[in-house]
Amino acid sequence: MILINLVSMKKIQISPSILSADFSQLGSEIKKLEECGADMIHVDVMDGHFVPNLTIGPPVIKSLKKYSSLIFDVHLMISPVHKYIDDYANAGADIITIHPEATDNLAESILKIKNLNKKVGLSLNPETKIDVILKFLDQIDLVLIMSVNPGFGGQKFMPEVLTKVKDLTAIKEDKGMKFDIEIDGGINFENSKAAIKAGANILVSGTTIFKDNNGDIKRNIELLRSK
Ligand code: DX5
Ligand code: ZN
């Protein structure tokens, strides 16, 4: 029996972060991302409390939904997060990713997102260990591994997090689990291959996609996806 390594079989998906987009043209920027082959839209929500930056909230997300049929991969860098989950679900988030540190009851917050028929993601900051979410891995759809400290685009990739990606991949394979592994922060054409090799199957990128190769978004998405 040939045991096919399913992890390496998964299609690599690209989720461009609109944090690096032109915020005065978010609708057309999102439309452009879909036309250029993005698999989903990474929406970085920041509250100026969980992270030292402030971006957009539910009304803006709701207004952006008409510009793309892609999945809205919403990364909530807000705390407390539990009481706002309904608002983001109603605004049109398809994946709702939260930070374990941002809720008093992670099990309840996961259940709330599932009951809203949304996909559940848990995000680990660079210094947060996999142990924090180990017992929830069989209940969630995605683990978002931060390769920068959350809050800003354009930061330097932290290669030490690749060990965490490899460890998570080993757990996933060992237990035959299905969750996606997404990596987020400082992803570029050099480190994307190492991230894929470690087991990430969704790459988030803002700066590289919007700024590299004179802003050739289509080319940048294709380059990031290549193994
Ligand atoms: C940081 C955000 C990331 C970031 C990615 O807090 O979660 O999504 O915007 O942007 P780049 O690719 O520029 O690091
Ligand atoms: Zn993000």
Side-chain angles (χ1 to χ4, degrees):
M1 180 182 77
I2 303 165
L3 191 62
I4 299 168
N5 176 338
L6 292 177
V7 172
S8 58
M9 295 288 283
K10 266 198 160 182
K11 174 179 176 282
I12 302 302
Q13 297 185 77
I14 305 298
S15 187
S17 161
I18 57 170
L19 189 61
S20 304
D22 175 349
F23 265 46
S24 72
Q25 312 283 334
L26 275 181
S28 53
E29 295 271 80
I30 281 178
K31 194 164 175 295
K32 195 173 14 169
L33 288 173
E34 179 165 6
E35 289 161 358
C36 290
D39 295 288
M40 53 184 89
I41 306 288
H42 189 81
V43 182
D44 282 314
V45 176
M46 300 180 183
D47 64 355
H49 174 241
F50 185 72
V51 291
N53 198 355
L54 184 64
T55 57
I56 58 174
V60 176
I61 292 172
K62 190 176 171 75
S63 70
L64 292 174
K65 282 297 278 186
K66 58 178 168 293
Y67 288 95
S68 172
S69 58
L70 290 180
I71 286 170
F72 273 39
D73 168 32
V74 176
H75 178 191
L76 295 181
M77 288 162 275
I78 68 173
S79 70
V81 65
H82 191 80
K83 63 181 177 180
Y84 296 109
I85 289 171
D86 286 299
D87 295 344
Y88 286 95
N90 296 334
D94 300 291
I95 300 171
I96 297 180
T97 296
I98 62 175
H99 285 254
E101 302 91 338
T103 175
D104 297 336
N105 188 321
L106 188 51
E108 261 186 36
S109 296
I110 290 170
L111 199 58
K112 184 176 187 102
I113 297 170
K114 290 170 90 92
N115 289 341
L116 288 161
N117 296 316
K118 302 298 177 181
K119 287 198 166 188
V120 186
L122 294 180
S123 183
L124 295 178
N125 283 339
E127 76 286 350
T128 307
K129 301 242 177 304
I130 295 173
D131 300 358
V132 169
I133 62 167
L134 205 53
K135 67 179 181 179
F136 300 106
L137 290 178
D138 59 348
Q139 305 167 36
I140 62 174
D141 303 285
L142 176 144
V143 177
L144 175 62
I145 301 282
M146 295 306 296
S147 35
V148 295
N149 285 307
F152 298 92
Q155 299 180 79
K156 197 168 169 339
F157 179 76
M158 298 166 72
E160 59 270 30
V161 306
L162 289 177
T163 307
K164 199 186 294 183
V165 178
K166 287 175 193 154
D167 292 347
L168 196 59
T169 303
I171 294 167
K172 176 176 170 177
E173 286 182 333
D174 186 43
K175 297 181 186 294
M177 293 183 184
K178 298 267 177 290
F179 58 85
D180 287 318
I181 299 177
E182 184 174 19
I183 190 164
D184 181 4
I187 295 292
N188 58 34
F189 303 132
E190 287 70 46
N191 58 45
S192 59
K193 289 159 184 51
I196 293 169
K197 194 158 179 281
N201 67 293
I202 304 174
L203 306 183
V204 174
S205 165
T207 306
T208 297
I209 286 179
F210 281 96
K211 310 275 189 266
D212 281 31
N213 293 309
N214 296 317
D216 183 342
I217 291 177
K218 187 168 170 30
R219 178 165 158 65
N220 292 336
I221 288 175
E222 284 164 0
L223 285 171
L224 281 177
R225 192 180 276 129
S226 62
K227 292 189 182 177

